[in-house]
Every structure is written in C-alpha cells, then in structure tokens.
Amino acid sequence: MALTLAQLLGTPVHASEWDLNDALEQFSKSTAGSSAIAAGRVVTLHGGTAAIATSGSTGRMGIVPNLAPLNVDADSKLKVITRVGAQYFAEANGAIPVGAQCLPDTGGKVKAGTGAQGFAIYRGHDGEGTIGNPATAAIAGDPIKIELTGQVV
C-alpha cells in the first residue's frame, strides 16, 4: 500500500540513528513564534534563524522533519535536518528528472534546478531506486526523495 503525501512529508527515507542523531539542528523561527512550518518543507537558514524557503531563496537550506512534537504556531524554535547526505521526503512543485539538482520553490516545496547547483538531488519516489524498480521523474504534488548536498545556493 502506497503512503500518501501527508504521511511521507518530512520522514527520513532510511530511518536510522545516523539520520536523526547527526542531522538535526535547532533554529529560531523568523516568524517569532507566530506560525508553524509544516513537516517536509524546505527552510532557508541564516545565522540561527530558519524561514520557509521560496523560489529564489538563497543561502544554506534544510528540511523540517516529521518529528513529534512538530513545531506549532506558538513555538519560537524548530528542528531542521541539515546533514549532507540525509535523504528525506519533500513535495515536488513541478517536473523533476531523476538525478536533477533541486532548488527551493514557493511554499517550501522543491523544483528542478536550471543548471545551478542545488541544495539537494532528486532520488525518486517512495519505493523506487531499487533493483527492478528504477526511479522515475516527478511531477507537481508528488512526494519525492531528496538527498541534501550541503551546497549553499
């Protein structure tokens, strides 16, 4: 049974201690505790502050993990996955070919890069990328596996 977008967003592709213990950093929200940032959304990181990424966002990037307790409106801080090589589920906001560099897009979603270095690489959908089940291109609204590159865009 395939999992839904809501179930996958912000979850690690390979659930292991390495993905959680060494990948998390805590940041202040740029909204000063006035709004939650949903799991699976890309955030831009400037100093000790995280803000939801949009098209054209630059700087260091991370992804909000689906960990309890998830940040809520009243929280002034949130945890962000930042480790190079971490693979997490995010939401595609357009066509993305397999292996493409990814850039942040509107609402903290992910789009294909246009020749620029991206903050992540698209690795396929849930269950893809194994022997006999190759990864396929993504379309808008798909839950997708991305691997953080550590590149600053």
Side-chain angles (χ1 to χ4, degrees), residues 10-22:
T11 61
V13 173
H14 308 288
S16 70
E17 291 178 12
W18 188 62
D19 269 336
L20 296 175
N21 288 345
D22 298 333

Side-chain angles (χ1 to χ4, degrees), residues 59-113:
R60 188 170 169 234
M61 304 286 167
I63 190 163
V64 177
N66 191 0
L67 294 175
L70 193 59
N71 75 94
V72 295
D73 287 349
D75 293 338
S76 61
K77 298 194 179 292
L78 77 156
K79 290 184 172 50
V80 178
I81 298 294
T82 59
R83 184 185 47 74
V84 174
Q87 292 186 19
Y88 274 76
F89 286 96
E91 184 177 353
N93 206 27
I96 306 174
V98 176
Q101 293 283 326
C102 297
L103 294 173
D105 203 14
T106 305
K109 297 177 185 177
V110 177
K111 67 179 178 181

Side-chain angles (χ1 to χ4, degrees), residues 44-46 57-61 103 117-120 149-153:
T44 182
L45 310 168
H46 294 283
S57 286
T58 60
R60 188 170 169 234
M61 304 286 167
L103 294 173
Q117 288 242 219
F119 78 95
T149 63
Q151 297 295 323
V152 177
V153 294

